[in-house]
Amino acid sequence: MYVGTLSFDLLLGDVRSLKEKRSVVRPIVAELQRKFAVSVAEVDHMDLHRRAGIGLAVVSGDTVHLTDVLDRCERLVAGRPEVELLSVRRRLHGEDD
């Protein structure tokens, strides 16, 4: 069993309130869940309206599939025009860990 995680640090565009922030972050989280069947949530910068931290985890039986899913998730977030991807942190955990 292998577990992969991604942590996204995002800068949001023209967002002036936490309510507007939710309207940007929630669709990203929902699309990642729907398209890739991963566990994902907003996990950081909850009190800042122009920053968001999104955490994502996926479990797989092989590393090839795991890496493919993480790559596609990262491309989806990086391709969103309403956010700027400041950093991505990737971790892979295997049976030897």
Side-chain angles (χ1 to χ4, degrees), residues 72-92:
R72 290 188 290 151
C73 290
E74 187 174 341
R75 281 195 299 273
L76 184 141
V77 173
R80 298 294 292 239
E82 67 272 21
V83 300
E84 180 182 341
L85 185 57
L86 298 176
S87 68
V88 179
R89 186 168 162 181
R90 180 182 294 221
R91 290 187 176 172
L92 300 176

Side-chain angles (χ1 to χ4, degrees), residues 1-5 37-39 57-62 65-66 69-70 93:
M1 176 176 71
Y2 300 95
V3 178
T5 62
V38 296
S39 296
V58 61
V59 176
S60 180
D62 68 82
H65 174 70
L66 183 70
V69 171
L70 293 176
H93 308 277

Side-chain angles (χ1 to χ4, degrees), residues 13-85:
D14 188 26
V15 173
R16 294 185 187 94
S17 70
L18 293 175
K19 185 176 180 180
E20 286 181 25
K21 175 185 179 176
R22 283 192 307 274
S23 72
V24 173
V25 173
R26 281 187 180 170
I28 295 171
V29 168
E31 186 173 5
L32 286 165
Q33 288 172 330
R34 188 181 76 253
K35 281 191 172 184
F36 305 113
V38 296
S39 296
V40 60
E42 183 179 0
V43 295
D44 201 6
H45 307 302
M46 303 286 211
D47 56 343
L48 301 175
H49 64 274
R50 292 209 57 225
R51 293 279 300 274
I54 295 177
L56 176 146
V58 61
V59 176
S60 180
D62 68 82
T63 58
V64 174
H65 174 70
L66 183 70
T67 303
D68 180 52
V69 171
L70 293 176
D71 288 343
R72 290 188 290 151
C73 290
E74 187 174 341
R75 281 195 299 273
L76 184 141
V77 173
R80 298 294 292 239
E82 67 272 21
V83 300
E84 180 182 341
L85 185 57

